[in-house]
Amino acid sequence: MTRRRKISIWLFSIILISILGMIICDQYVAYNASGRLYENVDSIPHRKVGIILGTSPISTWNGRRNYYFDHRIKAGAELYKARKVDWLVVSGGDYRNTENGYDEPVAMRDSLIKQGVDSARIVLDYDGIRTLNSIAKMRDVYCQDSIVIISQKYHNERALYQARHLGIDAIGFNAKTPGRRTSWWRNRGREVFARVKLFIDVARGLHPDIKESIVRDFTKVDADILSVSHIKTEHGDLICLKPDMSGLKMDMVCGEIPSPDDDSIVLAFAGAFTGTEFDKGHSNVAGDHVTDGVRFRGYSCKRNTGVFTWSAESGPSFFYKDYSFALDRAAKEGGMGFAQEMMIHDGAKVPTTRPLGNQNVFRALCLDSDNRLALYESQGIVSFGNFIDALLSQGVKEALYTDMGQGWNYCFYRANNGDVPPKYLHSQSLPYASNFVTLKIK
């Protein structure tokens, strides 16, 4: 056998062994993930924390929109809104100084907020420049031993292997894989080499490079009785106050202005329209209303097309057009209720008396996409139509206007029991603003 032939056989053998090795590594990682991958939101078990593995919103290959990013964000938001996870960690790096580079965690956070995820439930992780770092940090810094990993299937398989190697009970939720064949083959091919490197790193005993060393279990912070979110939308920015109603009760206060010194009040804001004759009491309130289980008559107002009621028995409810019976029920159950201008009903716009082009700071009491009560306010002056569209972009199902304007927009809140004095959306009230919705600690 000639020397050249021996070299050729030797090279061929090395190539064949390398290819077989890559296939074995690739298939073993896929096999290891068997039974731990989910694609349906309804079927995946609950985990306290989900981690979205990082990628940029713009492709580093061609500068175009990165649909891998979009699908991961959508998957994370779906899990959160379905209450399959309580927290989302967005793990990536800050690549703003590179071509087509982004601050990945911030980009992911902002996109999640636009899809209705509470900003207070998003944790930014800047150590996620490698998948190994992202997974190890969940255990070593964030003290989590049971998580949902959110990425495309091929990426989840590798991350699940790393999680098991680190002793973490992890499951994966598969985000949709974009349909472009070229990007799939490029990423899938890169994944094969990444899996080979995974086993090399394991054999070498490679340790993750984690810069943040302060150990903290963010899930064990005292639960807020009211969460505050700032949301960016293409129709204008929003402020969202979302109370935890499990420990609160609602009422409608008429004839007095709630005092910020009353630390049992978590949230107070003007509800129904009012006239300017404070001494007329309940007759100064637009439309019939219920206070502490008693129904009162107010003056007629053609803008009152809907009503909101609350009682400990029935919880928060919204009604459109025919709502007199709802007020009767709220009174019978010892609750509260008031009429106002309905903006959104059953997830769709309804006709409004106020022109859609009207410019102001607007506020609405809403039923959110997760069926929780929420108070939304525009962050600055916007058109009424844009405010409604901004609410719809967050999946709001019901929206009832609450009185606004100079003096009527008075609103204060406490995000936790330590907020003394409270925070304000607007701190000045009119002396004849004669009805306020209050949420108090039971």
Side-chain angles (χ1 to χ4, degrees), residues 27-290:
Q27 291 303 304
Y28 186 76
V29 169
Y31 173 78
N32 174 77
S34 178
R36 295 191 291 150
L37 290 171
Y38 297 84
E39 296 185 351
N40 186 284
V41 173
D42 294 331
S43 63
I44 189 169
H46 173 268
R47 291 286 191 274
K48 191 182 294 184
V49 179
I51 177 172
I52 304 178
L53 299 178
T55 188
S56 292
I58 301 298
S59 172
T60 56
W61 288 82
N62 54 26
R64 296 176 181 173
R65 182 174 179 177
N66 183 4
Y67 290 99
Y68 285 86
F69 175 94
D70 293 346
H71 293 317
R72 290 184 200 182
I73 295 300
K74 182 179 179 182
E78 287 177 348
L79 287 178
Y80 175 81
K81 289 190 281 190
R83 299 189 178 182
K84 295 295 186 175
V85 295
D86 305 320
W87 298 81
L88 286 170
V89 174
V90 289
S91 185
D94 187 350
Y95 303 111
R96 284 175 294 180
N97 294 326
T98 63
E99 185 178 0
N100 296 325
Y102 274 79
D103 182 334
E104 288 182 346
V106 166
M108 288 191 283
R109 179 200 64 190
D110 291 348
S111 296
L112 285 169
I113 289 172
K114 288 181 180 179
Q115 296 205 27
V117 177
D118 185 346
S119 62
R121 292 283 169 165
I122 303 172
V123 177
L124 275 62
D125 167 29
Y126 282 95
D127 279 313
I129 55 176
R130 296 183 58 195
T131 303
L132 176 62
N133 287 3
S134 298
I135 303 302
K137 189 170 182 179
M138 297 299 295
R139 181 195 68 180
D140 298 338
V141 175
Y142 296 141
C143 307
Q144 302 302 310
D145 57 9
S146 179
I147 60 174
V148 178
I149 301 171
I150 304 160
S151 189
Q152 276 70 34
K153 180 182 179 182
Y154 65 83
H155 195 186
N156 276 340
E157 289 174 343
R158 174 161 51 95
L160 286 174
Y161 184 91
Q162 291 172 325
R164 174 168 283 180
H165 177 70
L166 293 169
I168 300 173
D169 174 22
I171 55 177
F173 185 67
N174 295 336
K176 180 181 177 182
T177 300
R180 289 177 63 90
R181 300 298 297 175
T182 53
S183 65
W184 185 90
W185 281 109
R186 180 178 64 245
N187 286 292
R188 189 62 183 86
R190 186 171 58 182
E191 179 64 23
V192 171
F193 289 101
R195 294 182 181 189
V196 173
K197 188 176 185 303
L198 165 64
F199 285 98
I200 294 173
D201 290 344
V202 170
R204 291 171 54 206
L206 182 69
H207 294 286
D209 179 21
I210 299 175
K211 296 180 176 60
E212 183 181 354
S213 58
I214 300 176
V215 177
R216 60 187 181 96
D217 184 350
F218 53 80
T219 68
K220 291 184 178 179
V221 298
D222 293 335
D224 292 340
I225 52 178
L226 183 139
S227 65
V228 183
S229 304
H230 296 266
I231 303 170
K232 293 182 178 295
T233 83
E234 61 180 314
H235 310 288
D237 296 347
L238 299 169
I239 302 169
C240 176
L241 307 180
K242 189 176 293 189
D244 179 2
M245 293 303 298
S246 62
L248 301 176
K249 59 183 179 181
M250 293 186 74
D251 203 358
M252 184 171 175
V253 177
C254 295
E256 63 180 270
I257 299 171
S259 171
D261 295 330
D262 183 351
D263 60 10
S264 70
I265 299 178
V266 171
L267 176 62
F269 59 94
F273 290 119
T274 58
T276 57
E277 298 177 86
F278 184 77
D279 58 351
K280 285 191 173 181
H282 290 285
S283 63
N284 192 49
V285 179
D288 287 7
H289 50 282
V290 176

